[in-house]
Amino acid sequence: MELIKGNIASPKGFYADGKHAGLKRKRNDIGWIYSEVPANSAAVYTMNQMQAAPIFVTKDSFQSNAQLQAIIVNSGNANACTGNQGMLDALSMRAKTAERLEIPLDSVAVASTGIIGDMLPMEKIIAGINMLEKQTGNAANFEEAILTTDTFQKQISFQIEIDGKTVTMSGVAKGSGMIHPNMATMLAFITTDADIPAELLQKLLKVKVDKTFNQITVDGDTSTNDMVVVMANGCAKNPPLEEGTTEFEKFADMFQAVTEHLAKSIARDGEGATKLIEVQVNGATKKEDARMIAKKIVSSSLVKTAAFGGDGNWGRIICAIGYSGGRFAPDNITIKIGGIEILHHSSQTIFNQEALDAYLEEEHIVIEVNLHIGLESGTAWGCDLSYDYVKINACYRT
Protein backbone atom coordinates (compact mmCIF):
# COMPACT_ATOMS: atom_id res chain seq x y z
CA MET A 1 0.00 0.00 0.00
CA GLU A 2 1.42 3.35 -1.05
CA LEU A 3 0.48 6.74 0.34
CA ILE A 4 0.13 9.16 -2.57
CA LYS A 5 -0.30 12.89 -2.95
CA GLY A 6 -3.87 12.92 -4.21
CA ASN A 7 -7.39 14.15 -3.58
CA ILE A 8 -10.97 12.88 -3.60
CA ALA A 9 -10.91 12.90 -7.42
CA SER A 10 -7.68 10.88 -7.75
CA PRO A 11 -9.35 7.49 -8.40
CA LYS A 12 -10.03 7.00 -12.13
CA GLY A 13 -13.33 8.36 -13.36
CA PHE A 14 -13.99 10.73 -10.44
CA TYR A 15 -14.24 14.53 -10.46
CA ALA A 16 -14.96 17.10 -7.75
CA ASP A 17 -15.49 20.81 -7.40
CA GLY A 18 -16.49 23.45 -4.86
CA LYS A 19 -17.69 27.03 -5.06
CA HIS A 20 -18.67 29.94 -2.82
CA ALA A 21 -22.43 30.39 -3.06
CA GLY A 22 -22.76 32.88 -0.21
CA LEU A 23 -23.95 30.46 2.48
CA LYS A 24 -20.89 31.44 4.54
CA ARG A 25 -18.99 34.68 4.61
CA LYS A 26 -15.71 33.68 3.04
CA ARG A 27 -14.98 30.04 2.23
CA ASN A 28 -16.36 27.75 -0.43
CA ASP A 29 -19.66 26.33 0.81
CA ILE A 30 -21.11 24.06 -1.87
CA GLY A 31 -19.53 21.20 -3.77
CA TRP A 32 -19.99 17.87 -5.47
CA ILE A 33 -18.26 14.61 -6.23
CA TYR A 34 -19.08 13.08 -9.62
CA SER A 35 -18.33 9.69 -11.16
CA GLU A 36 -18.47 9.43 -14.93
CA VAL A 37 -20.04 5.98 -14.59
CA PRO A 38 -22.47 4.56 -11.99
CA ALA A 39 -20.57 3.49 -8.87
CA ASN A 40 -21.46 0.71 -6.46
CA SER A 41 -22.03 2.59 -3.22
CA ALA A 42 -22.59 2.21 0.51
CA ALA A 43 -23.49 4.53 3.37
CA VAL A 44 -23.93 4.73 7.13
CA TYR A 45 -25.82 7.47 8.94
CA THR A 46 -26.14 9.31 12.24
CA MET A 47 -27.86 7.43 15.08
CA ASN A 48 -29.48 10.65 16.30
CA GLN A 49 -33.24 10.13 15.99
CA MET A 50 -33.70 13.79 15.03
CA GLN A 51 -32.33 13.31 11.52
CA ALA A 52 -31.98 16.08 8.97
CA ALA A 53 -33.74 16.18 5.60
CA PRO A 54 -30.62 15.28 3.54
CA ILE A 55 -30.36 11.97 5.44
CA PHE A 56 -33.84 10.97 4.31
CA VAL A 57 -33.19 12.00 0.71
CA THR A 58 -29.93 10.04 0.56
CA LYS A 59 -31.62 7.00 2.11
CA ASP A 60 -34.32 7.34 -0.56
CA SER A 61 -31.69 7.26 -3.32
CA PHE A 62 -30.21 4.08 -1.85
CA GLN A 63 -33.62 2.41 -1.53
CA SER A 64 -34.09 2.15 -5.25
CA ASN A 65 -30.48 1.91 -6.31
CA ALA A 66 -27.20 0.79 -4.69
CA GLN A 67 -25.32 2.86 -7.25
CA LEU A 68 -24.51 6.55 -7.10
CA GLN A 69 -22.93 8.94 -9.56
CA ALA A 70 -22.85 12.10 -7.48
CA ILE A 71 -22.86 13.55 -3.98
CA ILE A 72 -23.96 17.17 -3.51
CA VAL A 73 -22.89 18.85 -0.26
CA ASN A 74 -23.39 22.26 1.31
CA SER A 75 -21.98 23.72 4.52
CA GLY A 76 -23.14 26.66 6.60
CA ASN A 77 -26.69 25.32 6.96
CA ALA A 78 -27.64 21.84 8.21
CA ASN A 79 -31.20 21.82 6.81
CA ALA A 80 -32.16 20.06 10.06
CA CYS A 81 -35.40 20.53 12.01
CA THR A 82 -36.81 22.42 9.03
CA GLY A 83 -40.03 20.43 8.52
CA ASN A 84 -41.65 19.70 5.20
CA GLN A 85 -40.02 22.67 3.49
CA GLY A 86 -36.60 21.37 4.45
CA MET A 87 -37.44 18.04 2.85
CA LEU A 88 -38.60 19.76 -0.33
CA ASP A 89 -35.39 21.79 -0.38
CA ALA A 90 -33.21 18.67 -0.04
CA LEU A 91 -35.18 17.05 -2.85
CA SER A 92 -34.61 20.17 -4.95
CA MET A 93 -30.85 19.93 -4.34
CA ARG A 94 -30.94 16.34 -5.57
CA ALA A 95 -33.07 17.20 -8.59
CA LYS A 96 -30.95 20.18 -9.65
CA THR A 97 -27.74 18.15 -9.32
CA ALA A 98 -29.18 15.31 -11.38
CA GLU A 99 -30.29 17.81 -14.02
CA ARG A 100 -26.88 19.50 -14.20
CA LEU A 101 -25.01 16.21 -14.47
CA GLU A 102 -27.64 14.54 -16.68
CA ILE A 103 -27.94 11.51 -14.40
CA PRO A 104 -30.92 9.77 -12.71
CA LEU A 105 -32.41 11.28 -9.54
CA ASP A 106 -31.72 8.18 -7.49
CA SER A 107 -28.02 8.28 -8.32
CA VAL A 108 -27.50 11.44 -6.23
CA ALA A 109 -26.77 11.60 -2.49
CA VAL A 110 -27.36 14.83 -0.55
CA ALA A 111 -25.49 16.07 2.53
CA SER A 112 -25.65 19.30 4.51
CA THR A 113 -23.82 20.59 7.57
CA GLY A 114 -23.94 23.77 9.60
CA ILE A 115 -26.49 25.63 11.73
CA ILE A 116 -29.59 23.66 12.78
CA GLY A 117 -33.06 25.14 12.34
CA ASP A 118 -32.48 27.70 9.58
CA MET A 119 -34.12 27.25 6.19
CA LEU A 120 -31.81 26.76 3.24
CA PRO A 121 -31.41 29.88 1.07
CA MET A 122 -32.44 27.97 -2.04
CA GLU A 123 -31.69 30.74 -4.52
CA LYS A 124 -28.05 30.65 -3.40
CA ILE A 125 -28.02 26.83 -3.35
CA ILE A 126 -29.33 26.57 -6.92
CA ALA A 127 -26.96 29.29 -8.10
CA GLY A 128 -24.10 27.44 -6.44
CA ILE A 129 -24.98 24.14 -8.13
CA ASN A 130 -25.11 25.95 -11.46
CA MET A 131 -21.54 27.19 -10.88
CA LEU A 132 -20.04 23.78 -10.20
CA GLU A 133 -17.87 22.30 -12.94
CA LYS A 134 -18.59 18.76 -14.10
CA GLN A 135 -15.12 17.60 -15.18
CA THR A 136 -12.84 20.62 -14.89
CA GLY A 137 -13.39 21.49 -11.23
CA ASN A 138 -10.90 21.73 -8.39
CA ALA A 139 -11.07 18.88 -5.86
CA ALA A 140 -9.34 21.01 -3.21
CA ASN A 141 -12.26 23.41 -3.46
CA PHE A 142 -14.63 20.56 -2.61
CA GLU A 143 -12.53 19.65 0.41
CA GLU A 144 -12.87 23.23 1.64
CA ALA A 145 -16.57 23.52 0.78
CA ILE A 146 -17.64 20.87 3.30
CA LEU A 147 -15.92 22.49 6.32
CA THR A 148 -17.62 24.36 9.17
CA THR A 149 -15.50 25.18 12.24
CA ASP A 150 -12.70 22.89 11.03
CA THR A 151 -9.24 24.40 11.09
CA PHE A 152 -7.80 22.27 8.29
CA GLN A 153 -8.86 20.08 5.35
CA LYS A 154 -8.88 16.35 6.05
CA GLN A 155 -7.85 14.19 3.10
CA ILE A 156 -5.90 11.00 2.37
CA SER A 157 -5.13 8.89 -0.72
CA PHE A 158 -3.59 5.43 -1.15
CA GLN A 159 -2.83 3.05 -4.02
CA ILE A 160 -2.41 -0.72 -4.14
CA GLU A 161 -2.12 -3.32 -6.88
CA ILE A 162 -4.99 -5.78 -7.22
CA ASP A 163 -4.73 -8.56 -9.79
CA GLY A 164 -2.22 -6.51 -11.77
CA LYS A 165 -4.34 -3.33 -11.75
CA THR A 166 -3.54 -0.12 -9.87
CA VAL A 167 -6.40 0.66 -7.50
CA THR A 168 -6.70 4.08 -5.85
CA MET A 169 -8.74 5.07 -2.82
CA SER A 170 -9.23 8.59 -1.49
CA GLY A 171 -11.13 9.97 1.47
CA VAL A 172 -12.17 13.40 2.66
CA ALA A 173 -13.97 14.41 5.84
CA LYS A 174 -15.23 17.31 7.90
CA GLY A 175 -15.74 17.37 11.62
CA SER A 176 -14.65 19.50 14.53
CA GLY A 177 -17.51 19.83 17.00
CA MET A 178 -20.68 17.91 17.87
CA ILE A 179 -18.54 14.79 17.58
CA HIS A 180 -19.64 11.57 19.29
CA PRO A 181 -20.45 9.12 16.50
CA ASN A 182 -22.52 6.00 16.40
CA MET A 183 -22.45 6.67 13.29
CA ALA A 184 -22.62 10.43 13.53
CA THR A 185 -21.31 13.95 13.90
CA MET A 186 -19.26 14.25 10.75
CA LEU A 187 -19.32 13.96 7.01
CA ALA A 188 -16.91 11.62 5.24
CA PHE A 189 -16.75 10.64 1.60
CA ILE A 190 -14.59 7.89 0.13
CA THR A 191 -13.99 7.21 -3.56
CA THR A 192 -12.25 4.27 -5.19
CA ASP A 193 -11.90 2.97 -8.72
CA ALA A 194 -11.98 -0.64 -7.49
CA ASP A 195 -14.60 -3.09 -8.71
CA ILE A 196 -16.38 -4.37 -5.59
CA PRO A 197 -20.03 -5.48 -5.22
CA ALA A 198 -22.24 -2.98 -3.38
CA GLU A 199 -23.34 -5.54 -0.79
CA LEU A 200 -19.75 -6.39 0.12
CA LEU A 201 -18.83 -2.70 0.18
CA GLN A 202 -21.66 -2.00 2.64
CA LYS A 203 -20.52 -4.84 4.89
CA LEU A 204 -16.92 -3.63 4.82
CA LEU A 205 -17.94 -0.04 5.53
CA LYS A 206 -19.91 -1.05 8.62
CA VAL A 207 -16.97 -3.05 10.00
CA LYS A 208 -14.46 -0.25 9.46
CA VAL A 209 -16.76 2.48 10.75
CA ASP A 210 -17.17 0.57 14.02
CA LYS A 211 -13.38 0.42 14.39
CA THR A 212 -12.62 4.01 13.45
CA PHE A 213 -15.29 6.71 13.09
CA ASN A 214 -17.41 5.22 15.88
CA GLN A 215 -14.36 5.31 18.16
CA ILE A 216 -13.84 9.08 18.12
CA THR A 217 -15.35 11.75 20.32
CA VAL A 218 -14.86 15.46 20.90
CA ASP A 219 -17.74 16.63 23.07
CA GLY A 220 -20.24 13.79 23.53
CA ASP A 221 -22.86 15.32 21.22
CA THR A 222 -24.24 13.26 18.33
CA SER A 223 -25.18 15.34 15.28
CA THR A 224 -28.42 15.36 13.32
CA ASN A 225 -26.88 15.25 9.86
CA ASP A 226 -23.88 13.21 9.32
CA MET A 227 -22.93 10.25 7.25
CA VAL A 228 -20.18 8.32 5.51
CA VAL A 229 -20.69 7.57 1.82
CA VAL A 230 -18.42 5.34 -0.28
CA MET A 231 -18.43 5.13 -4.09
CA ALA A 232 -16.61 2.40 -6.06
CA ASN A 233 -16.89 2.87 -9.82
CA GLY A 234 -14.80 -0.05 -11.09
CA CYS A 235 -12.73 2.09 -13.48
CA ALA A 236 -9.51 0.36 -12.38
CA LYS A 237 -10.82 -2.69 -14.29
CA ASN A 238 -9.76 -5.22 -11.67
CA PRO A 239 -11.76 -8.48 -11.42
CA PRO A 240 -14.63 -7.96 -8.93
CA LEU A 241 -13.37 -8.38 -5.39
CA GLU A 242 -14.57 -11.40 -3.44
CA GLU A 243 -14.70 -11.74 0.33
CA GLY A 244 -12.13 -14.08 1.84
CA THR A 245 -9.51 -13.60 -0.88
CA THR A 246 -6.03 -12.15 -0.48
CA GLU A 247 -6.91 -9.30 -2.85
CA PHE A 248 -9.97 -8.39 -0.78
CA GLU A 249 -7.88 -8.33 2.40
CA LYS A 250 -5.44 -5.93 0.74
CA PHE A 251 -8.36 -3.70 -0.21
CA ALA A 252 -9.81 -3.94 3.32
CA ASP A 253 -6.45 -2.90 4.81
CA MET A 254 -6.41 0.16 2.57
CA PHE A 255 -9.99 0.95 3.58
CA GLN A 256 -8.95 0.72 7.25
CA ALA A 257 -6.03 3.08 6.64
CA VAL A 258 -8.30 5.67 5.01
CA THR A 259 -11.02 5.58 7.67
CA GLU A 260 -8.56 5.58 10.57
CA HIS A 261 -6.63 8.55 9.17
CA LEU A 262 -9.82 10.57 8.69
CA ALA A 263 -11.18 9.61 12.12
CA LYS A 264 -7.96 10.64 13.88
CA SER A 265 -7.86 13.90 11.88
CA ILE A 266 -11.36 14.76 13.08
CA ALA A 267 -10.47 13.98 16.70
CA ARG A 268 -7.31 16.11 16.46
CA ASP A 269 -9.29 19.02 15.01
CA GLY A 270 -11.80 19.17 17.86
CA GLU A 271 -13.00 22.70 18.46
CA GLY A 272 -10.37 24.47 20.53
CA ALA A 273 -8.32 21.27 20.85
CA THR A 274 -4.59 21.35 21.51
CA LYS A 275 -3.95 17.60 21.81
CA LEU A 276 -4.99 14.29 20.26
CA ILE A 277 -5.75 11.66 22.92
CA GLU A 278 -5.47 7.99 21.96
CA VAL A 279 -6.73 5.35 24.39
CA GLN A 280 -5.68 1.73 23.89
CA VAL A 281 -7.46 -0.92 25.95
CA ASN A 282 -5.96 -4.42 26.02
CA GLY A 283 -6.68 -7.60 27.92
CA ALA A 284 -10.47 -7.51 27.56
CA THR A 285 -12.69 -10.57 27.15
CA LYS A 286 -14.63 -9.02 24.26
CA LYS A 287 -13.72 -6.52 21.54
CA GLU A 288 -16.95 -4.65 22.26
CA ASP A 289 -15.92 -4.16 25.89
CA ALA A 290 -12.46 -2.95 24.92
CA ARG A 291 -13.86 -0.42 22.46
CA MET A 292 -16.54 0.75 24.88
CA ILE A 293 -14.09 1.26 27.75
CA ALA A 294 -11.63 3.08 25.48
CA LYS A 295 -14.35 5.42 24.25
CA LYS A 296 -15.66 6.10 27.77
CA ILE A 297 -12.18 7.13 28.88
CA VAL A 298 -11.57 9.45 25.95
CA SER A 299 -15.13 10.85 26.33
CA SER A 300 -14.62 11.83 29.97
CA SER A 301 -14.64 15.60 30.41
CA LEU A 302 -12.37 15.17 33.42
CA VAL A 303 -9.84 13.13 31.43
CA LYS A 304 -10.02 15.72 28.64
CA THR A 305 -9.43 18.66 30.95
CA ALA A 306 -6.60 16.81 32.70
CA ALA A 307 -4.95 16.28 29.32
CA PHE A 308 -5.34 19.98 28.52
CA GLY A 309 -3.75 20.90 31.85
CA GLY A 310 -0.97 18.31 31.59
CA ASP A 311 -2.18 16.46 34.68
CA GLY A 312 -1.51 12.69 34.71
CA ASN A 313 -4.50 12.00 36.98
CA TRP A 314 -5.04 8.24 36.73
CA GLY A 315 -7.98 8.48 39.13
CA ARG A 316 -10.06 10.06 36.37
CA ILE A 317 -9.13 7.26 33.99
CA ILE A 318 -10.02 4.46 36.39
CA CYS A 319 -13.25 6.26 37.29
CA ALA A 320 -14.27 6.21 33.59
CA ILE A 321 -13.44 2.50 33.43
CA GLY A 322 -15.69 1.96 36.44
CA TYR A 323 -18.81 3.45 34.83
CA SER A 324 -18.06 2.24 31.30
CA GLY A 325 -20.30 -0.83 31.45
CA GLY A 326 -17.48 -3.06 30.25
CA ARG A 327 -16.22 -6.14 32.04
CA PHE A 328 -13.10 -5.80 34.20
CA ALA A 329 -11.61 -6.88 37.52
CA PRO A 330 -11.36 -3.79 39.79
CA ASP A 331 -8.20 -5.03 41.51
CA ASN A 332 -6.33 -5.95 38.32
CA ILE A 333 -5.96 -2.85 36.11
CA THR A 334 -2.73 -1.46 34.74
CA ILE A 335 -2.51 2.06 33.30
CA LYS A 336 0.33 3.67 31.35
CA ILE A 337 0.57 7.18 29.94
CA GLY A 338 3.14 7.55 27.21
CA GLY A 339 4.60 4.20 28.17
CA ILE A 340 5.09 5.33 31.79
CA GLU A 341 3.36 2.90 34.14
CA ILE A 342 1.41 4.83 36.77
CA LEU A 343 -0.89 2.05 37.99
CA HIS A 344 0.08 -1.63 38.28
CA HIS A 345 -2.65 -4.19 39.06
CA SER A 346 -4.73 -1.33 40.54
CA SER A 347 -1.94 -0.08 42.81
CA GLN A 348 -0.10 3.20 42.22
CA THR A 349 3.51 2.79 41.18
CA ILE A 350 6.61 4.89 41.75
CA PHE A 351 7.31 6.72 38.49
CA ASN A 352 9.27 9.68 37.14
CA GLN A 353 6.89 12.62 37.55
CA GLU A 354 9.10 14.97 35.53
CA ALA A 355 9.12 12.55 32.59
CA LEU A 356 5.33 12.24 32.77
CA ASP A 357 4.87 16.02 32.92
CA ALA A 358 7.12 16.45 29.90
CA TYR A 359 5.23 13.80 27.94
CA LEU A 360 1.88 15.44 28.70
CA GLU A 361 3.09 18.59 26.94
CA GLU A 362 3.17 16.69 23.63
CA GLU A 363 0.40 17.00 21.04
CA HIS A 364 -0.33 13.24 20.84
CA ILE A 365 -1.03 11.55 24.17
CA VAL A 366 -1.39 7.76 24.37
CA ILE A 367 -3.13 6.17 27.37
CA GLU A 368 -2.75 2.39 27.66
CA VAL A 369 -5.06 0.29 29.84
CA ASN A 370 -4.60 -3.43 30.44
CA LEU A 371 -7.52 -5.26 32.04
CA HIS A 372 -5.61 -8.57 32.37
CA ILE A 373 -8.71 -10.74 31.88
CA GLY A 374 -8.66 -11.61 28.16
CA LEU A 375 -7.00 -11.21 24.79
CA GLU A 376 -9.17 -8.58 23.04
CA SER A 377 -8.29 -4.94 22.44
CA GLY A 378 -9.85 -1.70 21.26
CA THR A 379 -8.78 1.88 20.55
CA ALA A 380 -10.54 5.23 20.70
CA TRP A 381 -9.47 8.77 19.81
CA GLY A 382 -10.49 12.14 21.15
CA CYS A 383 -9.06 15.50 22.11
CA ASP A 384 -8.52 17.66 25.14
CA LEU A 385 -11.15 20.13 26.34
CA SER A 386 -9.85 23.67 26.34
CA TYR A 387 -11.08 27.17 27.16
CA ASP A 388 -11.47 27.82 23.45
CA TYR A 389 -14.09 25.05 23.08
CA VAL A 390 -16.46 27.08 25.27
CA LYS A 391 -15.59 30.29 23.44
CA ILE A 392 -16.21 28.77 19.98
CA ASN A 393 -19.53 27.17 20.88
CA ALA A 394 -20.83 30.08 22.92
CA CYS A 395 -20.64 32.18 19.77
CA TYR A 396 -21.43 29.49 17.14
CA ARG A 397 -24.34 31.34 15.51
CA THR A 398 -22.55 34.68 15.52
Side-chain angles (χ1 to χ4, degrees), residues 22-141:
L23 306 177
K24 296 186 299 193
R25 292 173 187 164
K26 296 179 181 178
R27 293 196 296 201
N28 292 327
D29 48 29
I30 193 163
W32 65 22
I33 300 169
Y34 166 66
S35 173
E36 63 187 17
V37 298
N40 290 338
S41 301
V44 290
Y45 311 94
T46 179
M47 294 297 289
N48 192 317
Q49 295 301 299
M50 191 65 72
Q51 295 185 349
I55 297 284
F56 291 101
V57 174
T58 297
K59 286 181 177 179
D60 180 70
S61 289
F62 271 94
Q63 269 194 340
S64 57
N65 186 11
Q67 290 188 318
L68 296 177
Q69 272 192 264
I71 306 169
I72 182 71
V73 189
N74 77 273
S75 59
N77 186 310
N79 193 13
C81 304
T82 47
N84 186 60
Q85 185 59 51
M87 188 67 68
L88 293 174
D89 290 343
L91 290 167
S92 293
M93 286 181 66
R94 181 174 71 169
K96 184 61 181 179
T97 302
E99 176 190 325
R100 279 286 328 277
L101 294 172
E102 299 178 301
I103 57 177
L105 274 176
D106 62 3
S107 67
V108 179
V110 181
S112 299
T113 184
I115 294 173
I116 293 171
D118 288 353
M119 304 305 297
L120 280 176
M122 286 308 293
E123 288 187 8
K124 293 180 179 179
I125 291 283
I126 297 302
I129 294 173
N130 281 330
M131 287 190 287
L132 293 171
E133 301 290 341
K134 183 175 182 178
Q135 293 181 318
T136 58
N138 187 329
N141 288 344

Side-chain angles (χ1 to χ4, degrees), residues 364-375:
H364 184 189
I365 296 172
V366 178
I367 298 171
E368 300 172 72
V369 174
N370 197 322
L371 304 177
H372 298 294
I373 58 172
L375 300 175

Side-chain angles (χ1 to χ4, degrees), residues 13 15-16 52 57 68 74 133 164 166 171 178 216 235 271 302 304-305 315 320 323 328-329 345 355 375 391 395:
Y15 305 90
V57 174
L68 296 177
N74 77 273
E133 301 290 341
T166 298
M178 203 179 280
I216 61 173
C235 287
E271 289 169 336
L302 292 178
K304 289 172 173 292
T305 50
Y323 63 67
F328 63 93
H345 296 290
L375 300 175
K391 189 184 301 182
C395 305

Side-chain angles (χ1 to χ4, degrees), residues 238-251:
N238 61 286
L241 288 164
E242 297 181 8
E243 191 172 11
T245 64
T246 301
E247 301 301 270
F248 173 75
E249 291 305 319
K250 288 165 57 178
F251 181 81

Side-chain angles (χ1 to χ4, degrees), residues 122 189 193 299 317:
M122 286 308 293
F189 308 107
D193 47 23
S299 298
I317 298 170

Side-chain angles (χ1 to χ4, degrees), residues 149 151 176 218 270-274 305 308 384-396:
T149 56
T151 62
S176 186
V218 168
E271 289 169 336
T274 66
T305 50
F308 176 66
D384 59 343
L385 193 57
S386 71
Y387 307 125
D388 283 342
Y389 176 82
V390 176
K391 189 184 301 182
I392 290 166
N393 282 282
C395 305
Y396 185 75

Side-chain angles (χ1 to χ4, degrees), residues 341-361:
E341 187 175 78
I342 57 176
L343 195 72
H344 182 73
H345 296 290
S346 296
S347 295
Q348 182 167 313
T349 64
I350 298 173
F351 58 89
N352 186 325
Q353 185 66 54
E354 290 184 359
L356 180 61
D357 291 343
Y359 176 76
L360 288 169
E361 294 299 315

